[in-house]
Amino acid sequence: MSSITTADGTEIFFKDWGTGQPIVFSHGWPLSADDWDTQMLFFLQHGYRVIAHDRRGHGRSTQTSDGHDMDHYADDLAAVTAHLDLKDAVHVGHSTGGGEVAHYIARHGESRVAKAVLISAVPPIMVQTESNPGGLPKSVFDDLQAQLAANRSEFYRALPSGPFYGFNRPGVESSEAIIANWWRQGMMGGAKAHYDGIVAFSQTDFTEDLKKITVPVLVMHGDDDQIVPYADSGPLSAKLVQNGTLKTYSGFPHGMPTTQAETINADLLAFIQS
């Protein structure tokens, strides 16, 4: 099994397939590197080297008690890229992974980075504050923690069955296999990591991180995202980075890399090749 051990003794699992320019994928909460299977196979077939890791406390990485914050997430990603000595890498982050990518680039610099992609991503900041009046009230995230603590398995069925993939929208055909795979990935990880991770993805302010990023950034967001609402995320992030492009997807849900993989993969490839 491919893994590295970080400075604080946490084992981080990763996949590393193929050769060519590296594309590094950062997954969303509470999932794992497996959430990128469709993208990794697609880009592998197009001649790229594809890498994805399980965030600490998620998937096959150590279920550590501590370090479930963006500083540790970014440092763990940096440890993987340094271990593999990646150069000219494209970093792709979905949801929480988008925050991880932004914080990693701002915190560790752009010497190894060619481009970045933020998909349905949590930056600039999700929670409602004085400076972010359009954010979601803190009570929303408190409720997520309460549901997780009460019955994580039930919670991890309800989320993908409804708002995550837009399966609660009229006329949208639900997929039991997609729901079950989300549940499987979630239940592989640690409850403590997932509980703390809700604070990490909702309360971290990435505004200053985004301002530091000079490499080309593609921001992809569906306007029917029920997890990370569009108006307070994608358009703002695209403006804050120095070289950003916003691509808005009409009617697409939060989990669009899975449900609309064909469209997302084609647009990712065009951006990487541009």
Side-chain angles (χ1 to χ4, degrees):
M1 191 169 97
S2 298
S3 66
I4 60 152
T5 304
T6 66
D8 69 352
T10 302
E11 272 196 32
I12 302 294
F13 167 87
F14 65 89
K15 310 176 192 187
D16 178 12
W17 305 339
T19 57
Q21 184 181 14
I23 306 175
V24 185
F25 296 94
S26 290
H27 65 78
W29 173 98
L31 303 172
S32 74
D34 294 354
D35 205 43
W36 292 111
D37 283 352
T38 307
Q39 282 70 38
M40 290 182 73
L41 290 170
F42 175 86
F43 284 100
L44 186 66
Q45 289 163 0
H46 281 82
Y48 291 90
R49 178 183 179 184
V50 291
I51 298 115
H53 68 293
D54 290 353
R55 189 169 297 119
R56 63 170 55 217
H58 295 61
R60 289 138 292 204
S61 293
T62 306
Q63 290 196 15
T64 176
S65 173
D66 302 312
H68 308 298
D69 54 70
M70 281 294 161
D71 285 354
H72 281 87
Y73 295 169
D75 293 351
D76 293 347
L77 177 54
V80 172
T81 59
H83 172 76
L84 297 175
D85 194 26
L86 301 181
K87 295 181 174 69
D88 199 33
V90 178
H91 281 267
V92 181
H94 176 247
S95 195
T96 298
E100 179 179 278
V101 166
H103 199 54
Y104 158 73
I105 295 172
R107 189 171 166 89
H108 292 276
E110 299 180 336
S111 61
R112 297 181 179 275
V113 181
K115 294 179 179 179
V117 184
L118 308 180
I119 306 177
S120 313
V122 297
I125 178 171
M126 282 195 75
V127 76
Q128 189 178 60
T129 62
E130 279 186 25
S131 59
N132 185 43
L136 295 169
K138 184 176 176 291
S139 59
V140 171
F141 304 106
D142 294 343
D143 181 56
L144 295 182
Q145 286 187 311
Q147 289 184 70
L148 188 155
N151 190 327
R152 188 165 66 123
S153 180
E154 202 168 77
F155 179 41
Y156 285 4
R157 285 286 302 184
L159 207 57
S161 300
F164 198 93
Y165 294 112
F167 291 153
N168 56 346
R169 294 305 198 206
V172 175
E173 190 177 340
S174 179
S175 165
E176 175 57 32
I178 288 174
I179 294 164
N181 190 43
W182 200 103
W183 180 90
R184 174 192 70 83
Q185 291 179 71
M187 295 306 292
M188 280 171 69
K192 175 67 161 61
H194 294 168
Y195 188 89
D196 292 353
I198 292 169
V199 174
F201 76 65
S202 66
Q203 295 185 27
T204 304
D205 189 343
F206 300 96
T207 302
E208 295 307 314
D209 291 337
L210 293 165
K211 288 178 182 176
K212 290 178 185 172
I213 300 174
T214 67
V215 296
V217 178
L218 176 63
V219 178
M220 312 169 82
H221 218 107
D223 67 5
D224 193 35
D225 191 322
Q226 300 172 67
I227 305 295
V228 182
Y230 173 81
D232 199 54
S233 51
L236 304 182
S237 290
K239 284 179 186 169
L240 284 165
V241 295
Q242 295 181 40
N243 187 5
T245 302
L246 174 66
K247 198 157 180 63
T248 303
Y249 296 87
S250 178
F252 280 24
H254 186 67
M256 62 187 190
T258 298
T259 52
Q260 276 84 13
E262 195 174 331
T263 299
I264 299 304
N265 290 353
D267 289 350
L268 274 173
L269 181 64
F271 172 69
I272 291 166
Q273 290 179 339
S274 66

